[in-house]
Amino acid sequence: MTLTPQHITDIRLSWQVLASDADGFASGFYHRLFRRDPDLRPLFASTDLPAQRRKLIAAIALVVRHADDLSPVLGPLAELGARHLGYGVKTSDYTTVGGALIETMEAQMQGAFTPEVRDAWLTAYGAVAGTMMAGAETATRRARA
């Protein structure tokens, strides 16, 4: 999936705002994620949450950095999707994660989170989630072969 030049601008400008309080953003994301689906909390039972928050921020920053050409991150995202399958992540969880992500962005940016910014992030998240789900599907097929 290709992001438009306007999507890229909206993502990069909004990320500057969101990343100004990166840990607060990541904390808010996990709070909303577990509120949306408490059944996801056990997937993080043995996880160092501060480290996990840093990984989330790094992953989003990587996508933002490569927003004009996502091809360098597609392979790592597919591998990440395969690893998430091993953690117990289901395809339906990607919808929950996307919802929590957008809700957190909106809460942090408030009025600056315009419909255009929302659309840009939804497009980017769709590309990321689609690639990760494809990676999980490929891993599942290989395991069955």
Side-chain angles (χ1 to χ4, degrees):
M1 173 170 291
T2 303
L3 297 168
T4 68
Q6 188 60 54
H7 284 148
I8 294 165
T9 297
D10 288 341
I11 286 168
R12 287 185 172 154
L13 290 175
S14 61
W15 183 243
Q16 289 176 1
V17 174
L18 296 166
S20 69
D21 180 15
D23 193 61
F25 171 77
S27 294
F29 165 76
Y30 284 107
H31 172 78
R32 285 174 179 84
L33 179 65
F34 299 145
R35 189 187 70 226
R36 283 174 171 258
D37 188 348
D39 291 339
L40 293 176
R41 187 177 289 277
L43 298 179
F44 295 86
S46 61
T47 302
D48 175 353
L49 279 179
Q52 184 63 35
R53 290 193 303 264
R54 288 188 298 275
K55 288 178 185 177
L56 172 69
I57 295 305
I60 294 171
L62 186 65
V63 170
V64 170
R65 188 169 37 258
H66 292 283
D68 53 341
D69 177 13
L70 292 174
S71 61
V73 298
L74 295 179
L77 285 172
E79 292 169 10
L80 186 62
R83 283 197 309 275
H84 277 71
L85 182 67
Y87 303 146
V89 173
K90 302 179 303 285
T91 300
S92 60
D93 295 334
Y94 286 92
T95 301
T96 305
V97 167
L101 186 67
I102 297 300
E103 182 183 342
T104 304
M105 290 175 171
E106 185 171 28
Q108 193 154 339
M109 291 186 67
Q110 300 180 358
F113 196 73
T114 64
E116 294 78 16
V117 172
R118 172 189 295 274
D119 180 60
W121 280 107
L122 285 171
T123 302
Y125 180 74
V128 167
T131 302
M132 290 179 68
M133 288 186 285
E137 185 178 315
T138 298
T140 299
R141 280 197 312 271
R142 285 184 183 149
R144 290 183 185 148

